[in-house]
Amino acid sequence: MIQPTTFAEISGNKSEKTKQFSKILRHAHIPYQKVVDMHMWQLCHLAMVVPIADAYYEADCPERAGKDWKLMKKTAKKLKRNFSFLRKQAGRLSPCKMNIFRFLPLPIMTIMLAVTFESSFGDKFMYQHARKAPDEMRELHKQFYAYMKKLKEARYEIL
């Protein structure tokens, strides 16, 4: 469930460096994943974490954000929109499991978000980070959506 350490060569090819790094992580028993397109992986990561952090910042009571049904539904819609947009722009998502945000029905995703936000996992890996890094997360929000806007504009220029 927790994302392993993820890395890639800029070229997307395997190299001696990535083989050595894999060996070090394997020896240390650290979960890892090599990806072909690190840029797309990073975009997908932002497509997920930005709406989650936004939910905490929009909540009247961030510690109980998962109890705000309207906020969870809004967050689910943002996740669906982000991943559908990236899929349309790039043709694929990385990792592939991110497609779940495109296919899960909105009511089910809303429930899953509410449960996750209220869980110890949500507290430890989502809320604590959002609470400790608001400036970073707001900057990521600004840059991610500006990047998506550029992609959309570039697509229409081509058409």
Side-chain angles (χ1 to χ4, degrees), residues 37 40 43 84-93 151 155:
D37 186 349
M40 180 49 65
L43 287 173
S84 294
F85 179 81
L86 287 176
R87 172 69 168 81
K88 186 176 182 181
Q89 293 297 313
R92 62 178 167 48
L93 301 177
L151 284 178
R155 182 174 175 88

Side-chain angles (χ1 to χ4, degrees), residues 66 69 72 109-120 122:
W69 194 253
M72 292 298 99
M109 192 182 331
T110 302
I111 292 167
M112 290 177 70
L113 283 172
V115 169
T116 304
F117 269 71
E118 289 299 309
S119 70
S120 59

Side-chain angles (χ1 to χ4, degrees), residues 56 59-66 117-118 123 127 131:
Y56 286 115
D60 292 332
C61 179
E63 304 85 24
R64 303 271 56 108
F117 269 71
E118 289 299 309
D123 178 63
Y127 175 65
R131 189 174 67 83

